[in-house]
Amino acid sequence: LPELPEVETVVRALRPVLGERRIQRLELLHPRVARHSDPAQLEEAAHGAAIGGLRRRGKYILLELEGGRPPIAVHLRMSGQLLLSSGPLASPHVRAVFHLARPEGRLNFVDVRTFGTLFLLDGSEPEGFRRLGVEPLSSDFTVERFAGLLASSSTEVKSFLLRQEKVAGIGNIYACEACHEAKVHPRLPARLLGRTRVQRLHAALQAVLGRAVEQMGTTLSDFRRPDGEPGNYGNQLLVYGREGEPCPRCRARIQRIVQHGRSTFFCPRCQHPPRRR
Ligand SMILES: [Zn+2]
């Protein structure tokens, strides 16, 4: 967390509030927040800049600046939040503040764990950003393209879905939910999915992510919308975090396994296990 739906929720909430405002100055309050950029260059790029727009790429928020300045990327990582306020926040975890003008206000980057970052998209951006794969809610994400990506990978499919250089924006929660919706076993090697499962998983990813965006994301612990409110999708999770509970589709007990160090929740009955060869 946060994944594509949570980041999209932040972008949609901030876009009408930030559009056409000016950044008076950017105040960096913790050394780790700017570890992917030169802090002085970051502050200089933001200083006095008019905000041209806001968009999402994978799990990154891109703040576009006018006047030929490079965009600023915000990566929330585990616990980062962008919160609007009129004055200083009481939180001890404010890592950066965009001081805004017209009207005056603050966009606060709050991050308890300090994994989150701000960096310039000026050619010096980290490798993880440059290598981002296809956007799953875009028209570029066709069944054909997805099939091609899966066919060239022997990784177990649920772990494959977490690889940002393949499909961007999916994290642990929505990977589990999409595999369940598609009735795909999370341990099935990606290249062995077969046409029917590829089509089902493609449709499930778009459906699950689309519904989660509509519900303004999932709040399990840290995620907050910019107005401080939680997301609404949490009560619609069918397998994630529900070990031992009945599958809503077939009533078998949801199981938890660990893949590449991450918990996977799935239904052992309706997500058929890989065929033995
Ligand atoms: Zn089931």
Side-chain angles (χ1 to χ4, degrees), residues 63-81:
L63 199 57
E64 289 166 334
L65 305 178
E66 291 184 349
R69 303 182 191 215
I72 296 174
V74 181
H75 198 191
L76 302 174
R77 297 288 297 272
M78 298 289 287
S79 57
Q81 304 171 345

Side-chain angles (χ1 to χ4, degrees), residues 17-197:
V17 182
L18 291 187
E20 299 179 19
R21 279 170 89 173
R22 187 174 291 277
I23 302 170
Q24 286 178 323
R25 64 190 174 94
L26 168 62
E27 186 181 10
L28 299 171
L29 298 168
H30 193 286
R32 280 173 56 78
V33 74
R35 65 188 180 275
H36 295 313
S37 274
D38 177 337
Q41 283 183 11
L42 192 54
E43 287 173 338
E44 188 185 319
H47 191 90
I51 298 173
L54 212 65
R55 61 191 187 91
R56 181 191 57 76
R57 176 79 174 102
K59 301 178 192 174
Y60 298 82
I61 296 159
L62 309 186
L63 199 57
E64 289 166 334
L65 305 178
E66 291 184 349
R69 303 182 191 215
I72 296 174
V74 181
H75 198 191
L76 302 174
R77 297 288 297 272
M78 298 289 287
S79 57
Q81 304 171 345
L82 283 175
L83 298 175
L84 290 162
S85 67
S86 49
L89 281 188
S91 167
H93 305 296
V94 180
R95 308 306 182 193
V97 180
F98 291 92
H99 295 268
L100 304 170
R102 299 187 314 198
E104 283 197 14
R106 293 170 178 233
L107 179 63
N108 306 277
F109 184 61
V110 179
D111 190 4
V112 174
R113 302 212 222 178
T114 71
F115 291 128
T117 54
L118 307 181
F119 58 87
L120 284 175
L121 297 187
D122 60 354
S124 69
E125 56 270 17
E127 170 115 1
F129 182 86
R130 275 203 302 273
R131 294 181 59 203
L132 284 174
V134 62
E135 285 290 334
L137 293 180
S138 75
S139 56
D140 292 341
F141 185 60
T142 59
V143 175
E144 291 313 316
R145 181 142 177 205
F146 189 42
L149 291 169
L150 289 161
S152 61
S153 175
S154 52
T155 311
E156 294 174 344
V157 61
K158 186 264 177 162
S159 299
F160 170 92
L161 292 176
L162 302 184
R163 295 178 60 178
Q164 303 300 301
E165 76 276 19
K166 305 289 186 183
V167 184
I170 302 166
N172 209 34
I173 293 176
Y174 299 108
C176 292
E177 293 296 312
C179 285
H180 178 261
E181 174 144 331
K183 300 182 187 173
V184 166
H185 194 287
R187 281 214 200 279
L188 197 60
R191 64 186 167 80
L192 297 184
L193 239 56
R195 187 70 187 176
T196 308
R197 283 190 176 85

Side-chain angles (χ1 to χ4, degrees), residues 180 247 249-252 267 269-271:
H180 178 261
C247 169
R249 192 160 49 206
C250 77
R251 315 309 291 172
C267 171
R269 187 182 293 161
C270 59
Q271 290 170 261

